[in-house]
Amino acid sequence: PPMKKMRQQVIILARAFGALATLARQEFDWQSTIENYSKAIALDPSDSITLMTFATANSIIGEFEQAKRLRDGALRLDPIYGP
């Protein structure tokens, strides 16, 4: 069905933004990191891996409250990230 195909395309796009964010993070380009993780999460808020890596990036740049919110979201989706 068309809606299922559209959803799959949105998830692929979200993964692409997540990959761009990861590359930017490796280059210490924090603005691009945050922008691309934000786009990825906006497209697929149920991706616990991206939420957790976004949380880590926020923690690195000192955005601890945002990091906690993202981490908590990842934990709700996938408890494997727990202590």
Side-chain angles (χ1 to χ4, degrees):
M3 290 303 288
K4 184 176 181 179
K5 184 172 182 161
M6 185 185 325
R7 178 69 185 138
Q8 290 171 337
Q9 291 172 338
V10 167
I11 289 172
I12 290 168
L13 185 57
R15 299 296 178 275
F17 280 120
L20 289 172
T22 299
L23 291 171
R25 184 175 146 187
Q26 291 173 349
E27 296 294 323
F28 306 102
D29 180 352
W30 300 112
Q31 182 176 348
S32 293
T33 298
I34 299 303
E35 288 173 4
N36 284 302
Y37 276 137
S38 295
K39 290 174 184 177
I41 293 301
L43 290 167
D44 185 8
S46 66
D47 183 353
S48 60
I49 293 170
T50 299
L51 281 167
M52 190 56 80
T53 54
F54 193 11
T56 301
N58 272 275
S59 183
I60 290 168
I61 64 170
E63 295 291 336
F64 301 113
E65 290 300 317
Q66 177 69 355
K68 183 180 181 327
R69 282 191 293 276
L70 291 163
R71 180 185 164 274
D72 290 348
L75 286 169
R76 276 192 297 278
L77 292 168
D78 191 350
I80 195 168
Y81 289 114

